[in-house]
Amino acid sequence: TADGQRTLGLLYSVTGKEEGVVCLMHPREFTGTPYLVPDVLDAGYACWVQAPRSIGNDLRLEHEVALLDVAAGMAHLRGLGFRRVVLLGNSGGAALYAFYAQQALRAPAARLRHTPGGRAVDLAGADMPPPDGLVFVSPHPGQGQLLMAGIDPSVTDERDAFSVDAALDPFDARNGFAMPPAESRYSPEFVARYRAAQRARVERIDQWAREVIAGRLQDRKQLKMQGESADAQLRRRGAHTPVLQVWRTDADLRCWDTSLDPSDRAVGSLWGRDPFVSNWGAVGFARLVTAESWLSTWSGISSRASFAHCGADLELPTLMLEYTGDQAAFPSDMEAIHDGIASTRKQRIKVRGNHHGMALAEGEEPGQVIAGRHVQQWLRAAD
């Protein structure tokens, strides 16, 4: 990469003579053979599957830095002589690729120079070949926007996982909750108060993150000024990078009340039907983050890796495939994503399936298979 790091990529090819290549990548995850690889190959394209520099760990993920990983893969593919390069973003990979396309299409001097946390990123000096087309499969608005909709605003103390404002508790029967598989029903008044409180909690965590960064920078400034005369305590503070623990991040009301933003989805979230497990368990979105990764990736206020931030700059041919039973992105999200993409050469197709393209009913053709056919048709038509 332009900053001297390494990132893994696998190139699949049938003939070794393909002129086009489709890229698949997620900012946090890596699977060597995503389910759409065979469809890409059957369409006559090669397929590049890339990993982020830190697989399976978003503790320090800053999307501006991740763009350098994408850029390294893109430069490699252009160097191999591919005439046409299409970015295919699935789930969180969609906002990552939208962000990359936005920055790659800009003149180098107009690209971002810092992460939201203040880290310098030399996008201007990086080789960032622009793509020729975009495919988004089960996209969500961006990880920050995803968390904004899912964070539990009833938390009153970020350092106490059990602190709760009962009037905002989404899992209190008095507010409309029913334990799955039963359906919850939240009143319009509760929903309005809840969403305002979600933003307020994200604002508080943003402030917490910025205070952590400011404190660390002050310690490092003092360390630099004192040099060899600095004592051990100052050296410890200057080296310390605090990790923020963010509890209760799986509380999107739409997951438990399917009358809100109705679709073909079942009750529950990506993490399952039991919100107590997903909110208080060890695994969950943004559970452990640095202040920098919170601001760049998980803050719905500060993160730039979102369709709301990037869509107006995306004027490339675009295919958008949405699953009608998605439990991470809902119809209103899909509408906003599609409407916000500036391209006049865009196509939106709805496919029955859950977020991962699994069938919604026994014996039904999986959404993955249907989506694959649409990808093939679009790629062939684009040649």
Side-chain angles (χ1 to χ4, degrees), residues 71-234:
M74 291 290 288
H76 176 63
L77 295 170
R78 291 296 191 190
L80 292 177
F82 285 105
R83 176 184 58 83
R84 178 174 173 78
V85 182
V86 174
L87 299 180
L88 192 163
N90 180 269
S91 188
L96 172 68
Y97 275 161
F99 193 19
Y100 176 83
Q102 180 203 50
Q103 295 297 304
L105 290 167
R106 290 181 176 178
R111 294 172 186 162
L112 294 170
R113 300 186 180 193
H114 296 87
T115 70
R119 186 191 305 276
V121 180
D122 188 16
L123 297 182
D127 182 8
M128 298 182 69
D132 299 296
L134 301 167
V135 177
F136 301 126
V137 180
S138 61
H140 58 63
Q143 292 185 182
Q145 296 298 319
L146 179 72
L147 199 75
M148 178 73 87
I151 200 164
D152 184 342
S154 67
V155 172
T156 58
D157 182 351
E158 292 298 334
R159 293 165 179 80
D160 180 0
F162 298 102
S163 64
V164 62
D165 177 351
L168 288 169
D169 188 351
F171 308 120
D172 187 324
R174 292 170 294 183
N175 294 326
F177 176 70
M179 190 66 192
E183 282 262 8
S184 300
R185 283 293 180 267
Y186 302 106
S187 71
E189 295 76 19
F190 179 77
V191 172
R193 286 191 295 108
Y194 189 87
R195 289 177 176 162
Q198 285 180 305
R199 183 176 182 86
R201 184 184 175 196
V202 171
E203 289 174 345
R204 292 194 298 271
I205 300 176
D206 273 20
Q207 180 61 30
W208 178 23
R210 294 188 190 281
E211 290 172 357
V212 166
I213 293 171
R216 189 172 70 250
L217 290 178
Q218 181 61 30
D219 288 337
R220 291 180 180 178
K221 180 180 179 180
Q222 290 295 320
L223 181 60
K224 185 176 181 179
M225 290 174 59
Q226 296 184 26
E228 295 297 324
S229 64
D231 63 22
Q233 183 62 20
L234 180 57

Side-chain angles (χ1 to χ4, degrees), residues 29-83:
E29 302 169 3
F30 176 68
T31 55
T33 52
Y35 64 84
L36 288 168
V37 170
D39 295 290
V40 169
L41 297 175
D42 287 346
Y45 280 64
C47 192
W48 170 255
V49 181
Q50 187 171 340
R53 65 182 62 189
S54 183
I55 301 171
N57 181 5
D58 64 346
L59 180 65
R60 298 184 63 183
L61 171 61
E62 293 173 85
H63 267 73
E64 292 78 7
V65 177
L67 297 190
L68 298 177
D69 297 350
V70 182
M74 291 290 288
H76 176 63
L77 295 170
R78 291 296 191 190
L80 292 177
F82 285 105
R83 176 184 58 83

